[in-house]
Amino acid sequence: MLGGVRFPESSQAEVLNQKQLLKDAAAFVLSCQIPCLIKDCLDHNVVPMDGATLAEAMHQRGINMRYLGKVIEIVKKFPLPSQLDHVYKILISEVITRSAKHIFKTYLQCSPIMTLQKRHQIGVGYTE
């Protein structure tokens, strides 16, 4: 699970049990929840209009946003133009947006506070 983290010998059985539960939960998300999300999109039970509604639909089904890549892999298997073309575009834009957010966040954390204050005073801001 976590590299470099050591647990006491007395809790090794519990740690192994927790690891298995995580593997089972991930397998359930991959084999059941993601295909159900795709099916709901195909049946128009879920119609994501943007990244926020996509995230809401995923979270309602217990799918963390870290599974975006897996959802993209499944959606890409459908022939284009397909009913999932708009979902594919939203997925790709969400990956790009989230990646950019992490990159910018790193740069902003390294910026001197005075630089950020000056940007804010002239109307150049950022949101999280």
Side-chain angles (χ1 to χ4, degrees):
M1 277 193 314
L2 298 173
V5 176
R6 296 177 192 243
F7 296 96
E9 285 294 323
S10 60
S11 64
Q12 287 300 317
E14 185 179 341
V15 170
L16 290 174
N17 187 32
Q18 292 294 321
K19 283 183 180 181
Q20 187 58 48
L21 285 172
L22 285 172
K23 290 177 184 177
D24 292 346
F28 177 73
V29 167
L30 292 171
S31 65
C32 295
Q33 295 303 95
I34 292 176
C36 285
L37 172 69
I38 302 299
K39 183 181 182 314
D40 285 345
C41 288
L42 285 169
D43 295 341
H44 300 291
N45 293 329
V46 172
V47 184
M49 301 304 286
D50 56 12
T53 54
L54 174 69
E56 182 182 342
M58 289 177 67
H59 289 152
Q60 285 175 345
R61 288 158 180 77
I63 305 169
N64 193 294
M65 296 306 283
R66 72 184 65 172
Y67 287 97
L68 278 172
K70 295 294 184 183
V71 177
I72 289 172
E73 286 178 9
I74 294 172
V75 170
K76 273 184 13 182
K77 292 178 183 176
F78 286 86
L80 291 179
S82 75
Q83 293 174 330
L84 296 175
D85 190 39
H86 74 285
V87 175
Y88 179 76
K89 290 175 182 176
I90 294 169
L91 287 163
I92 294 297
S93 65
E94 193 65 18
V95 168
I96 292 168
T97 304
R98 287 171 178 269
S99 299
K101 175 185 161 186
H102 287 287
I103 293 168
F104 290 138
K105 194 175 192 180
T106 302
Y107 284 119
L108 288 173
Q109 288 174 346
C110 297
S111 295
I113 193 71
M114 293 301 290
T115 305
L116 295 177
Q117 288 174 342
K118 287 179 184 175
R119 287 182 188 164
H120 182 68
Q121 289 170 352
I122 61 172
V124 178
Y126 67 95
T127 59
E128 290 193 31

